[in-house]
Amino acid sequence: KAGVTQTPRYLIKTRGQQVTLSCSPISGHRSVSWYQQTPGQGLQFLFEYFSETQRNKGNFPGRFSGRQFSNSRSEMNVSTLELGDSALYLCASSLVTASGGANTGELFFGEGSRLTVL
Amino acid sequence: AQSVAQPEDQVNVAEGNPLTVKCTYSVSGNPYLFWYVQYPNRGLQFLLKYITGDNLVKGSYGFEAEFNKSQTSFHLKKPSALVSDSALYFCAVRDVRYGGSQGNLIFGKGTKLSVKP
């Protein structure tokens, strides 16, 4: 079974630009979460999507947004990039029950998209 | 508020010796606890979890963790360390504000494990 796939793996942007990152979850996984990893702040939760709806959101400004498609694939977007947005962005998928609750609890992570903002 | 603490930034162990990576947690209600490992320039890999039941949880690559409710700890252990175990280890707790089985994971800061030959 293929794992979580994130694209692109590496990208460089300049301040003020915007970026879109893509995530394809493991087949059958309907929940997708996004995390930002930086040396200073560690791993911080951005948001979680299930059935095309954002159901949890972390403490990030509105410049960070996301969406999920009917096939469970997800994208996140960061607008008006700042130097501090340079980070590894990790996507994770998980199984959920038909009612939407997590089935097993653990998250399966992709390799991440490393964003550098110059 | 839910939180996880990993008191050691780095742990150094000689190959063949036992290793322990420490984690303490603070949650309201029953905790859902996890350990992940991250190799350089890679994503996180799931090692093991505690939801309920036996306090000693066995996971991937020979790792195990002991849940101690009275000490609110969930330390990761391995009887005999390998050089290939060198990596960054994260302890995490599920945010129960959204219900025990939903919600995001709250991660500790990570502990760098270095195993020397």
Side-chain angles (χ1 to χ4, degrees), chain A residues 10-50:
Chain A
Y10 302 91
L11 66 167
I12 300 173
K13 295 285 187 179
T14 57
R15 279 181 300 173
Q17 287 187 310
Q18 73 159 12
V19 66
T20 298
L21 309 177
S22 180
C23 172
S24 294
I26 292 172
S27 178
H29 287 196
R30 296 165 61 197
S31 170
V32 174
S33 303
W34 289 89
Y35 289 80
Q36 181 196 65
Q37 185 178 21
T38 60
Q41 298 299 316
L43 282 153
Q44 293 187 287
F45 172 70
L46 281 157
F47 26 65
E48 183 211 1
Y49 287 86
F50 172 74

Side-chain angles (χ1 to χ4, degrees), chain B residues 18-73:
Chain B
L19 69 87
T20 298
V21 183
K22 295 179 180 177
C23 172
T24 59
Y25 65 89
S26 174
V27 300
S28 53
N30 295 321
Y32 293 73
L33 297 160
F34 304 82
W35 275 102
Y36 285 83
V37 60
Q38 185 179 35
Y39 297 97
N41 298 313
R42 305 295 295 276
L44 275 68
Q45 294 179 33
F46 170 75
L47 281 178
L48 50 81
K49 67 180 178 184
Y50 173 83
I51 305 296
T52 186
D54 259 346
N55 289 342
L56 186 64
V57 179
K58 293 190 183 297
S60 306
Y61 312 120
F63 284 93
E64 58 189 28
E66 186 169 11
F67 171 69
N68 188 316
K69 189 172 183 177
S70 62
Q71 297 185 3
T72 62
S73 67

Side-chain angles (χ1 to χ4, degrees), chain A residues 1 4 11 13-14 34-35 37-38 40 42 58 60 63 73 75 78-80 100 104 106 112:
Chain A
K1 192 182 250 189
V4 177
L11 66 167
K13 295 285 187 179
T14 57
W34 289 89
Y35 289 80
Q37 185 178 21
T38 60
F60 278 82
R63 300 185 297 107
R73 190 177 71 83
E75 289 180 348
V78 188
S79 62
T80 320
T104 59
E106 65 263 36

Side-chain angles (χ1 to χ4, degrees), chain A residues 35 45 48 56, chain B residues 93-95 97-98 102-106:
Chain A
Y35 289 80
F45 172 70
E48 183 211 1
N56 295 322
Chain B
V93 63
R94 185 169 287 282
D95 190 337
R97 289 176 294 174
Y98 306 103
Q102 297 184 36
N104 56 294
L105 292 183
I106 299 170

